Amino acid sequence: ETKRIDDEGNIVTEKLLSKEQFGRDERSFDKYGDVYIPQNLYIVGTVNMDETTFPFSKKVLDRANTIEFNKVDLSYNFEEIFVGEMEQRVYNNDFLKSQYLKISECKSEKEIASRTIGELIKINNILEEYNQHFGFRVRDEVVFYMIYATKNNIMDFDNALDYCIVQKILPKISGSNGDVLEILVKVFNMLNETKFDATGYLDEKQINEMMQQGKISKYKLSSEKLVYMIRRFVRDGFTTFWQ
C-alpha cells in the first residue's frame, strides 16, 4: 500500500525492511536493505472453503478480488482429447501492471469513474444502515476495474459492475443476525428494481420469484449469489458467500 509511480513510470514501493530491523547485522543490511516489492510481482492464491476452514477477515477481502470456481461440468468427450504442448505466450509487464494507483489519476476517465461511484454509493447506503459499509479502498479498486473493462471493450458497464459486486462486496456479508437478511434483500431490490419485503419472512414462493427475476437481471451473477445467500439464511438461520 506504499506504491507510487516514479519519474520513469515504474511502480515502486517502500523498502520492506528498515535498518533497525537488521540490528547490528551490517552484512545482511548491505545485501537485503534495498529489497522492495517489484512491479511485476502479482499475488494469486487458491483456497478450499468448507466447514473446516476459517473465513477471511474483511480487511483481507478488501484487498482482493474473490473469484469462485465451484461449478463443475462432469461431462467428458473422449473424441476431443487433446495431447500436445500449449503455445507459449509472452507478455510484457506493461500489459498487466496497473495504470492507476490513486483515484485522482483517473481524471481522464471521470465519466466512467463518476458513474461507478454513483452505483457504489447506492449499495453503500444500504450497508451503512447496518454498519456494514465499505471504504475508499474498495471504491478505488472497483473504479479501476470498471475503467479497464469498459474502455478496452472487455465488458459493458453493467456486466463489469456485476463482476465487481460479486468479487468485492458480497464476500464480506455473512452471519446469523436478522440484519444480514435485510441487507441481502435490499441489495437485491436495488439491483433489480423490485420490492420484496426485507423485514419479514420469505417463503419459498418469494425466493423462487427472486430467482426468476435474477435470470433476466442486468446483474445476473450478483442476483444468483444473493438468492443463494438468502435461501441459505431462511433454511439454516445463517448465511455466507461461500458455497
Side-chain angles (χ1 to χ4, degrees):
E1 296 184 329
T2 63
K3 293 181 294 187
R4 60 183 174 82
I5 299 177
D6 66 14
D7 295 336
E8 297 179 359
N10 297 314
I11 298 175
V12 297
T13 67
E14 299 294 333
K15 296 175 182 178
L16 293 180
L17 302 169
S18 66
K19 187 171 183 178
E20 290 73 21
Q21 289 174 288
F22 289 94
R24 298 180 180 180
D25 191 349
E26 294 290 339
R27 180 180 298 179
S28 294
F29 175 72
D30 292 340
K31 188 173 183 179
Y32 302 110
D34 289 331
V35 173
Y36 62 95
I37 299 176
Q39 64 176 354
N40 63 339
L41 173 62
Y42 301 91
I43 299 174
V44 180
T46 62
V47 61
N48 294 326
M49 298 297 294
D50 57 30
E51 66 279 358
T52 66
T53 57
F54 290 101
F56 291 111
S57 69
K58 291 185 177 181
K59 67 179 181 181
V60 171
L61 294 171
D62 279 349
R63 292 164 170 80
N65 277 50
T66 301
I67 302 175
E68 287 189 298
F69 297 95
N70 53 20
K71 292 190 177 181
V72 180
D73 181 4
L74 296 178
S75 61
Y76 190 81
N77 189 335
F78 287 91
E79 306 304 322
E80 295 184 359
I81 298 174
F82 174 79
V83 179
E85 294 185 4
M86 297 294 292
E87 179 185 353
Q88 183 179 9
R89 302 250 177 145
V90 179
Y91 294 99
N92 187 284
N93 187 53
D94 289 339
F95 177 79
L96 294 171
K97 78 174 184 179
S98 176
Q99 184 177 346
Y100 312 106
L101 298 182
K102 300 177 182 178
I103 198 168
S104 59
E105 299 167 350
C106 301
K107 191 172 183 180
S108 61
E109 304 293 341
K110 63 181 180 181
E111 183 176 341
I112 298 173
S114 297
R115 183 180 174 188
T116 300
I117 292 171
E119 295 301 316
L120 292 177
I121 288 173
K122 293 177 187 177
I123 299 174
N124 223 23
N125 284 341
I126 295 172
L127 301 179
E128 191 170 16
E129 293 180 45
Y130 307 93
N131 200 31
Q132 298 280 346
H133 49 295
F134 50 85
F136 300 113
R137 182 180 294 106
V138 172
R139 177 202 65 183
D140 294 358
E141 291 190 4
V142 171
V143 167
F144 301 157
Y145 186 110
M146 295 295 294
I147 291 173
Y148 297 137
T150 55
K151 81 171 186 177
N152 293 308
N153 296 317
I154 299 172
M155 290 179 274
D156 63 30
F157 184 91
D158 291 333
N159 195 15
L161 185 60
D162 192 16
Y163 276 97
C164 287
I165 294 169
V166 170
Q167 295 180 12
K168 295 292 293 184
I169 298 174
L170 298 188
K172 295 157 59 72
I173 303 173
S174 66
S176 57
N177 190 296
D179 290 351
V180 174
L181 181 60
E182 292 186 22
I183 291 172
L184 296 172
V185 176
K186 285 183 177 181
V187 172
F188 183 93
N189 285 337
M190 190 221 86
L191 296 179
N192 292 280
E193 298 181 355
T194 51
K195 296 182 179 180
F196 291 99
D197 185 8
T199 58
Y201 175 78
L202 288 169
D203 58 28
E204 189 64 22
K205 179 182 177 182
Q206 292 172 300
I207 295 175
N208 286 334
E209 288 176 1
M210 298 176 81
M211 182 185 300
Q212 294 305 315
Q213 175 62 39
K215 291 179 180 180
I216 60 173
S217 173
K218 294 188 298 184
Y219 308 103
K220 288 184 173 63
L221 295 174
S222 300
S223 297
E224 179 184 13
K225 177 59 73 171
L226 284 163
V227 171
Y228 161 79
M229 295 173 72
I230 290 168
R231 173 172 271 129
R232 184 173 180 183
F233 187 96
V234 171
R235 183 191 64 204
D236 301 334
F238 170 83
T239 196
T240 181
F241 176 85
W242 314 103
Q243 291 183 226

